Amino acid sequence: MKKCIKYLPQHADITEKDEQFDAPRFAVAPMMDWTDRHCRFFHRQLTQHALLYTEMVVADALVHGDVDRHLMFDRDVEQPVALQIGGSEPEKLAHSARLGAQYGYDEINLNVGCPSDRVQSGAFGACLMREPELVARCVEAMKGAVDIPVTVKCRIGVDDQDSQVALDDFVGRVFEAGCDGLWVHARKAWLKGLSPKENRDVPPLDYDRVVRLKADWPNRFIGINGGIVDLETAARLAQQLDGVMLGRTAYQNPALLADVDTVFYGEKPSLPNMDKVRDAMIGYAHQHMDGGGRLHHVTRHMIGLFQGQPGARRFRQIMTVDASKPGAGPQVIADAFAAITQAKRRDAA
């Protein structure tokens, strides 16, 4: 049985002794178009304990749309997994949170960090940092609807806000409303003038601001996100905060996830068994395609697995080009892994 999530800061006074983690020390960030259920199944082959997130699901889609399509996931494999919701209407968010809990998610997370025009036009995401009272009402409504943790993912500020003053006010209000944990992307979001891609790179990182926030709230869970490119940096930040969250690095170089359980959860070091990963993904691809899915839905998340290793270019080629050909089946995955084995043998000869 997997250990479940308990959102307590690492330095809190804990008297209860059980088999739960004190906090999800490592998480893979929610990423639109990337962290779907196929991606999460793949990532779970590499780390048993990291907290995985869905893509952001808009509350309106759960109120008016196909709930199964948005929320179904493999509870036997993917957990612990959190549902991220986007919205700004407390009643809709409470309804969405309730659905998430019914479907078995371990956490509900409110997106207060996405800067895209589409999200802004819906009056949610990062623009909500200007409305801390509204976010507090949203959190309070979600907390009243579920018994699982409700968290918020935000930026350190938006546009010309003073990130010292505005962030303190925002955080104080959401914690007072009952927020169980805060994940902070350590950059401002510029809502006008920068694209979503530029907002992930151009505004300067300010890890110290998040560390100071933790010092102000020692008994609350505060995790950090943004620009973390390796586990060494992640582990260093984890010494000062309650959790670290990797996004693009974890997706584009997923092999680093194979060390997460050792670095963050005390597992004994061991080499990742890529034969088991291969076999699991072949079986998963068979199941997905038997249900009418396409091979590319699965393989597109795997192309960075052997980044920087002999045969990686050929692996990527097979996983992208060959997987998209008419009639392509799970054998493509076996062929791609075989290319890595062959390259390593040539390299060793």
Side-chain angles (χ1 to χ4, degrees):
M1 179 181 295
K2 290 187 184 297
K3 297 181 179 180
C4 57
I5 296 298
K6 181 170 65 175
Y7 262 90
L8 291 174
Q10 58 179 315
H11 303 303
D13 291 331
I14 301 170
T15 56
E16 180 183 1
K17 299 296 183 182
D18 56 25
E19 292 301 313
Q20 296 177 311
F21 292 132
D22 293 338
R25 302 279 291 150
F26 184 95
V28 177
M31 291 174 280
M32 291 300 293
D33 299 323
W34 286 3
T35 51
D36 61 17
R37 59 190 175 92
H38 312 303
C39 175
R40 297 193 304 270
F41 183 94
F42 169 51
H43 284 177
R44 188 57 75 209
Q45 308 313 308
L46 300 166
T47 168
Q48 290 297 298
H49 300 309
L51 177 61
L52 304 181
Y53 276 80
T54 67
E55 305 170 86
M56 180 184 67
V57 180
V58 179
D60 275 342
L62 297 179
V63 173
H64 304 295
D66 184 339
V67 176
D68 267 0
R69 183 172 71 86
H70 290 294
L71 295 188
M72 285 295 291
F73 73 102
D74 190 336
R75 295 174 66 170
D76 293 330
V77 177
E78 294 180 41
Q79 288 180 310
V81 59
L83 169 66
Q84 188 183 68
I85 302 174
S88 59
E89 298 176 68
E91 289 185 2
K92 291 182 178 180
L93 288 168
H95 175 77
S96 300
R98 193 176 297 111
L99 288 173
Q102 291 170 358
Y103 271 74
Y105 286 93
D106 297 281
E107 171 200 324
I108 308 297
N109 178 265
L110 178 62
N111 183 317
V112 190
C114 181
S116 76
D117 291 340
R118 181 169 63 89
V119 167
Q120 289 183 59
S121 68
F124 59 95
C127 65
L128 285 177
M129 294 207 69
R130 294 178 177 147
E131 301 184 68
E133 290 184 4
L134 174 57
V135 175
R137 292 201 302 273
C138 292
V139 169
E140 187 174 21
M142 296 163 78
K143 283 290 295 179
V146 300
D147 294 325
I148 59 176
V150 172
T151 65
V152 170
K153 187 171 187 292
C154 67
R155 296 281 184 128
I156 61 173
V158 295
D159 296 335
D160 57 358
Q161 281 185 333
D162 182 330
S163 62
Q164 186 66 43
V165 176
L167 185 61
D168 282 347
D169 180 49
F170 177 86
V171 172
R173 291 177 187 272
V174 298
F175 277 144
E176 185 177 352
C179 178
D180 292 291
L182 194 71
W183 289 99
V184 185
H185 186 144
R187 307 179 196 266
K188 274 190 172 185
W190 289 92
L191 303 180
K192 301 297 181 184
L194 291 181
S195 68
K197 181 179 184 302
E198 290 169 329
N199 261 300
R200 293 192 294 265
D201 296 302
V202 174
L205 287 162
D206 190 352
Y207 293 154
D208 289 342
R209 178 67 189 94
V210 186
V211 172
R212 292 198 304 273
L213 188 69
K214 175 60 189 174
D216 292 336
W217 295 91
N219 295 318
R220 298 285 191 161
F221 179 97
I222 295 177
I224 194 167
N225 170 233
I228 304 170
V229 297
D230 53 51
L231 292 188
E232 181 180 0
T233 303
R236 187 178 72 250
L237 289 167
Q239 294 175 1
Q240 304 173 81
L241 295 150
D242 300 307
V244 291
M245 175 183 280
L246 269 66
R248 285 169 292 164
T249 294
Y251 186 87
Q252 294 166 351
N253 183 23
L256 67 77
L257 295 176
D259 292 321
V260 163
D261 292 350
T262 296
V263 174
F264 289 90
Y265 297 101
E267 298 271 327
K268 292 182 179 180
S270 61
L271 293 175
N273 189 327
M274 288 302 173
D275 288 345
K276 287 186 177 180
V277 174
R278 175 200 63 204
D279 293 346
M281 297 313 298
I282 288 173
Y284 181 80
H286 271 295
Q287 182 181 25
H288 178 60
M289 295 184 73
D290 287 346
R294 296 174 55 197
L295 179 64
H296 177 66
H297 296 159
V298 176
T299 59
R300 73 186 185 95
H301 301 298
M302 302 173 62
I303 61 175
L305 180 58
F306 293 101
Q307 186 180 119
Q309 298 185 35
R313 183 177 179 182
R314 178 59 182 150
F315 181 87
R316 291 193 301 270
Q317 182 182 36
I318 294 171
M319 285 294 217
T320 52
V321 178
D322 292 7
S324 300
K325 292 179 179 178
Q331 180 61 38
V332 168
I333 298 175
D335 294 343
F337 275 80
I340 293 293
T341 301
Q342 293 166 6
K344 288 182 176 180
R345 286 173 179 167
R346 289 195 302 269
D347 197 55

